[in-house]
Amino acid sequence: MGILINKSENIFSLQSKNTSYVFGVDSEGLLRNLYWGSKIQDIEDFDMPILTEVSTNDPVYEITREEYPVYGSLRYKEHCLKVTFSDKSRELVYKYSGYDINDDELIIKLKDSYYDFNINLHYKVYEQYDLIERYVSIKNNSNDIIEIEKIHSGQFHIPYEGLNFSNVHGHWGAEQQRFIQKVNYGKIVIENRRGISTHNHNPYFILDKDATETTGEVFFGALKLSGNFSGIIEQTQYGETLVQMGINSHDFLMELKPKEEFVTPAIIAGYSNSGFEIMTHNLHNFAKDNILRKGLRPVLYNSWEATEFKVSCDEQIKLAEKAKEIGAELFVVDDGWFGERHGIDNGLGDWYVNRDKFPDGLDPLIKKVKDMDMMFGIWVEPEMVNPLSQLYKEHPEWIYHFETRESDTSRGQYVLNVTKKEVKEFIYNMLDNLLSTYDIDYIKWDANRPMSQTDIEKDIWYKHIEAIYDIVRELKIKHPNVLFEACASGGGRIDYGILGIFDDFWTSDNTDAYDRLFIQDSYSYIYPIKAMRAWVTDCPNFLSKRVIPMKFRYHSAMMGTLGVGCNILKFNEDEIKLSQELIKEYKEIRHIIQEGDFYRIENTSKNNYSIYQYNKDGESLLFVFLPQSLIGHRGTNIKLRGLENNSKYIIRINGEELIKSGDYLMNRGLEIKLSGDYASDIIKINKI
């Protein structure tokens, strides 16, 4: 079992395959972290150090490495929980009151010393993946309301200073740009305050001690929450670094009613002593095995860039026929099929088929798509409404608003208050009716603006995304074969909270194949390749104005779940033939890409190669990109990863076949040289 307990000392050890996470209860009843790192088998080795004050200005509460610090007493550090009781007391004083074990989950029970208020810390061990899951449940056993002002899901202690913190920054069209920041004195805060999504930061932390892909210590955690999150990273004055993550306390207040319980979103966390690669594999494998829907993702064609809002049945049928010709398996009609939707200013909320565009409804198009043995998908933006829509005219009270203020429009739309029972039911019923009426296999769910004027209830920021989760969960129960894609004006909703509720992530509206190499690289550190939608689109690219050869565009998009968004009606014979060849190739190798192990390979050349590897059951792929050949036009030496030392492998490259041993390929490596600008290649390596 992954949970060890020294009952006489009240010390607990969470044991995974290669790691240990240890904490215990001290003589004051405080829960203190003792260790997080490589596996230590014997729990008897741990004892509870006695803490002494540095001075009266450095009290014990400040120095104590508390598992879950609360507001009150001589604590001036970051706290995870702050409440106000009915008598207006704002101090928590917790005492340890025991533990429970349910299978592979440990529950530490804390109780306030005066009020009838329980705090339960939950720890679930995933031994095989070297991961632990942490969350907190709080329960109001009193007869009065307790106000929750702040609640984070957990705090982690790392016994080092001078660590490197990495996350992503960005904005629309430039999401998932990885940055590395040295942790020093002061606090690093990452957060979202927009409610709907954020393109700026992502709800995870990576802290490393000068790690590389394959060496060094890495501590990491990903929060299972879409919407308003916060993460705090702080190097303390006492020789350690701490991390907290949870619901953002910005404009947040939640009433915990009598006998009511609240459960926080969880954090999936882990440790690697062998660099970022192990972190990535553990998270990817956990997601593929435990979160994501089983089965390979289909090759998608989306009509947006071909038609934008000028949707018509005849034009969509022509696109579907051409999509089938090049090898697509799923045809998706994007925005513009419903209501008076001729641009961004109208239609949202009026989810009926536009009869001018589809005189006989969607059935003729869907029948044509199905007759060609393709799946059918459709775009929706259910959380939004346009002021000009019929829905808004009938229900102006359904949006987030203040009675005395004019509500903001952004992209010509309001945000519906999904926390209202009637609004939530409207969205569910609308989608259920759509899925029940038509033979739809795929829903692309978009959200194109942040929230504002969120009314008087300050827990709406959190309840909004919970309502969205609920709607999709219920729809998938009734329509279990429908795939859902999370899109938020691009890559705003990429997180472990929505992963598994939705099946695909739209990674970015930026479909430039060169830019996508950076976006996809950053994404890969935490999130599984199987959920990463990537499209081939037309050139010049609408955003970068860059012209990139089609082969490079396909290879870049083939690194994830392949989609095509070009106006394929304008393809010439060569473009159709190349598309057919590359889509056929993708179908032959996608099981390796979507379900295999992913490696970011070091480039040893002065030329700016980008190199990635995928392994699955003796099959390997190398994706090699050279966006621009620099002076010297050098090749690169590629040392492969994850092969078997004593096995032989056949390498197919440049129309030739080589046979090499696994230890040769991993230690000596392959000499690869690409020529020209926007050169790319996929090299296949198979165990003999």
Side-chain angles (χ1 to χ4, degrees):
M1 186 172 68
I3 301 169
L4 301 178
I5 302 173
N6 183 335
K7 294 182 180 180
S8 64
E9 298 293 330
N10 275 336
I11 291 176
F12 305 87
S13 179
L14 309 177
Q15 300 274 59
S16 67
K17 186 168 56 176
N18 298 295
T19 72
S20 295
Y21 186 95
V22 186
F23 57 89
V25 184
D26 69 11
S27 59
E28 299 293 320
L30 299 179
L31 201 63
R32 288 165 50 184
N33 183 272
L34 297 176
Y35 177 75
W36 187 20
S38 295
K39 191 167 188 174
I40 298 174
Q41 299 275 5
D42 194 347
I43 192 173
E44 304 296 331
D45 287 339
F46 290 94
D47 52 28
M48 184 64 64
I50 297 173
L51 288 177
T52 57
E53 293 180 345
V54 174
S55 75
T56 55
N57 282 297
D58 298 272
V60 168
Y61 282 109
E62 280 293 282
I63 301 168
T64 302
R65 295 177 178 177
E66 287 185 88
E67 272 293 282
Y68 199 73
V70 297
Y71 179 83
S73 190
L74 292 167
R75 292 183 185 89
Y76 307 99
K77 59 190 178 185
E78 286 291 337
H79 50 272
C80 289
L81 181 62
K82 184 178 182 182
V83 309
T84 300
F85 295 102
S86 60
D87 61 5
K88 304 306 178 185
S89 173
R90 294 184 293 114
E91 180 168 79
L92 274 167
V93 180
Y94 73 79
K95 295 295 181 183
Y96 170 72
S97 63
Y99 70 89
D100 286 329
I101 295 179
N102 297 323
D103 296 325
D104 53 0
E105 183 176 24
L106 171 68
I107 304 168
I108 300 296
K109 298 189 286 187
L110 309 177
K111 190 177 187 305
D112 189 85
S113 62
Y114 180 84
Y115 300 96
D116 204 354
F117 180 69
N118 293 95
I119 308 167
N120 291 329
L121 310 185
H122 298 254
Y123 300 82
K124 192 169 185 178
V125 183
Y126 298 97
E127 290 186 69
Q128 175 185 348
Y129 307 97
D130 279 329
L131 297 172
I132 59 173
E133 184 174 37
R134 291 187 60 180
Y135 64 97
V136 177
S137 60
I138 55 174
K139 187 170 184 182
N140 177 8
N141 296 305
S142 75
N143 295 317
D144 300 304
I145 290 174
I146 299 174
E147 292 181 338
I148 312 301
E149 298 180 48
K150 177 181 179 181
I151 183 164
H152 272 182
S153 301
Q155 178 165 280
F156 297 89
H157 297 262
I158 301 164
Y160 297 124
E161 298 177 294
L163 293 170
N164 303 305
F165 167 68
S166 54
N167 196 266
V168 290
H169 71 91
H171 53 79
W172 174 83
E175 304 94 321
Q176 296 287 324
Q177 297 183 64
R178 186 168 183 253
F179 69 88
I180 302 171
Q181 181 174 343
K182 183 65 73 173
V183 181
N184 209 311
Y185 296 105
K187 296 176 184 177
I188 299 171
V189 177
I190 56 170
E191 65 175 359
N192 175 39
R193 296 183 175 190
R194 288 166 169 76
I196 292 292
S197 60
T198 177
H199 302 72
N200 309 130
H201 296 300
N202 203 268
Y204 68 80
F205 70 89
I206 303 173
L207 287 160
D208 74 271
K209 197 179 179 189
D210 298 326
T212 68
E213 280 294 308
T214 56
T215 66
E217 293 184 90
V218 182
F219 303 82
F220 59 91
L223 180 67
K224 297 172 75 172
L225 174 65
S226 312
N228 283 15
F229 75 90
S230 68
I232 300 166
I233 300 91
E234 181 181 10
Q235 180 173 293
T236 75
Q237 290 78 12
Y238 310 106
E240 63 159 351
T241 301
L242 61 82
V243 185
Q244 287 185 19
M245 294 201 79
I247 298 169
N248 199 329
S249 59
H250 165 73
D251 196 41
F252 176 80
L253 183 71
M254 180 176 65
E255 288 188 345
L256 199 64
K257 296 179 174 61
K259 315 307 177 188
E260 190 173 34
E261 184 178 39
F262 177 75
V263 179
T264 70
I267 304 170
I268 302 289
Y271 165 82
S272 164
N273 63 2
S274 301
F276 301 114
E277 186 175 283
I278 295 296
M279 172 193 73
T280 292
H281 288 175
N282 289 345
L283 285 169
H284 284 199
N285 289 332
F286 174 76
K288 287 182 291 186
D289 294 346
N290 299 281
I291 300 178
L292 287 173
R293 182 199 295 256
K294 304 303 179 187
L296 296 174
R297 300 295 182 261
V299 176
L300 171 155
Y301 178 79
N302 183 286
S303 68
W304 171 252
E305 292 199 12
T307 61
E308 295 191 354
F309 294 107
K310 297 176 182 177
V311 177
S312 71
C313 185
D314 291 343
E315 188 82 355
Q316 294 294 309
I317 287 174
K318 290 177 185 177
L319 285 168
E321 290 172 337
K322 192 63 70 173
K324 177 63 177 179
E325 183 181 350
I326 65 174
E329 300 162 308
L330 164 63
F331 182 81
V332 180
V333 177
D334 210 281
D335 199 354
W337 59 270
F338 56 93
E340 296 303 313
R341 188 69 168 171
H342 309 295
I344 63 172
D345 295 323
N346 204 347
L348 289 177
D350 299 338
W351 297 104
Y352 59 87
V353 179
N354 184 295
R355 291 289 169 167
D356 292 331
K357 298 178 180 183
F358 295 90
D360 299 310
L362 292 176
D363 284 325
L365 171 60
I366 295 175
K367 183 178 186 305
K368 185 68 175 179
V369 169
K370 298 289 180 170
D371 287 347
M372 291 187 289
D373 196 28
M374 285 194 295
M375 301 165 66
F376 180 79
I378 203 158
W379 179 97
V380 293
E381 193 173 5
E383 296 158 75
M384 308 295 170
V385 64
N386 289 125
L388 295 176
S389 68
Q390 188 62 35
L391 179 70
Y392 181 71
K393 292 174 184 175
E394 294 174 359
H395 295 288
E397 76 281 4
W398 278 11
I399 68 168
Y400 289 116
H401 70 287
F402 296 124
E403 293 292 346
T404 59
R405 302 297 180 199
E406 181 178 351
S407 297
D408 297 320
T409 55
S410 179
R411 202 174 185 261
Q413 58 200 52
Y414 298 130
V415 184
L416 289 170
N417 185 347
V418 187
T419 68
K420 286 179 177 284
K421 182 175 181 289
E422 59 271 29
V423 178
K424 186 177 178 181
E425 289 178 350
F426 167 81
I427 293 174
Y428 173 84
N429 290 334
M430 177 274 291
L431 289 166
D432 177 43
N433 181 62
L434 189 66
L435 294 172
S436 299
T437 303
Y438 298 107
D439 189 4
I440 294 171
D441 305 287
Y442 191 92
I443 292 289
K444 182 180 177 72
W445 182 308
D446 211 341
N448 278 302
R449 61 151 292 182
M451 291 163 58
S452 59
Q453 284 94 33
T454 52
D455 213 333
I456 59 172
E457 302 297 333
K458 292 185 180 180
D459 58 359
I460 272 178
W461 299 100
Y462 178 74
K463 287 184 176 179
H464 181 100
I465 193 61
E466 285 293 302
I468 299 303
Y469 292 169
D470 289 344
I471 291 169
V472 180
R473 284 192 189 105
E474 290 300 312
L475 287 168
K476 291 177 89 168
I477 291 171
K478 187 170 182 182
H479 307 279
N481 296 320
V482 176
L483 291 163
F484 284 78
E485 177 187 318
C487 177
S489 192
R493 272 184 179 161
I494 295 177
D495 58 76
Y496 270 87
I498 213 158
L499 183 64
I501 297 172
F502 286 71
D503 305 292
D504 271 353
F505 288 152
W506 180 228
T507 325
S508 175
D509 281 350
N510 185 345
T511 56
D512 177 274
Y514 175 63
D515 288 350
R516 270 301 185 102
L517 292 181
F518 298 97
I519 292 170
Q520 293 169 180
D521 184 286
S522 298
Y523 167 101
S524 74
Y525 277 82
I526 299 292
Y527 298 107
I529 301 300
K530 188 174 182 176
M532 183 179 76
R533 268 292 164 193
W535 288 5
V536 181
T537 56
D538 287 323
C539 282
N541 181 270
F542 83 99
L543 192 61
S544 69
K545 309 305 179 186
R546 192 180 280 129
V547 176
I548 296 176
M550 181 173 280
K551 182 181 176 183
F552 190 101
R553 282 182 271 151
Y554 263 100
H555 283 171
S556 176
M558 288 165 70
M559 284 183 59
T561 54
L562 177 63
V564 178
C566 305
N567 187 350
I568 50 180
L569 297 177
K570 294 183 178 181
F571 273 13
N572 59 38
E573 289 185 9
D574 289 340
E575 289 170 327
I576 291 171
K577 183 180 179 182
L578 182 59
S579 295
Q580 290 171 333
E581 292 172 352
L582 291 173
I583 290 173
K584 181 176 182 291
E585 181 181 20
Y586 178 77
K587 291 176 182 177
E588 293 169 352
I589 62 177
R590 66 175 155 189
H591 65 286
I592 311 171
I593 295 168
Q594 294 185 21
E595 297 187 337
D597 292 329
F598 178 79
Y599 297 81
R600 295 170 293 268
I601 302 297
E602 180 186 5
N603 174 36
T604 59
S605 174
K606 287 192 175 181
N607 250 330
N608 293 327
Y609 287 90
S610 295
I611 310 161
Y612 303 97
Q613 181 185 349
Y614 302 77
N615 289 357
K616 181 175 173 57
D617 299 332
E619 297 181 281
S620 293
L621 302 168
L622 271 181
F623 281 69
V624 186
F625 299 91
L626 181 63
Q628 184 180 48
S629 186
L630 305 178
I631 292 175
H633 309 288
R634 295 181 184 176
T636 184
N637 183 64
I638 300 175
K639 294 181 180 181
L640 278 73
R641 301 284 304 150
L643 306 182
E644 296 175 4
N645 284 318
N646 299 321
S647 295
K648 292 290 186 179
Y649 292 83
I650 185 167
I651 303 105
R652 296 173 178 86
I653 180 171
N654 297 328
E656 299 181 2
E657 293 185 352
L658 306 172
I659 296 178
K660 299 291 182 184
S661 65
D663 54 9
Y664 176 90
L665 292 171
M666 290 190 293
N667 294 296
R668 173 60 183 87
L670 288 175
E671 294 288 343
I672 303 294
K673 184 176 182 180
L674 302 182
S675 300
D677 293 344
Y678 298 116
S680 61
D681 200 3
I682 299 174
I683 300 165
K684 300 177 178 67
I685 302 131
N686 294 322
K687 188 172 76 170
I688 300 174

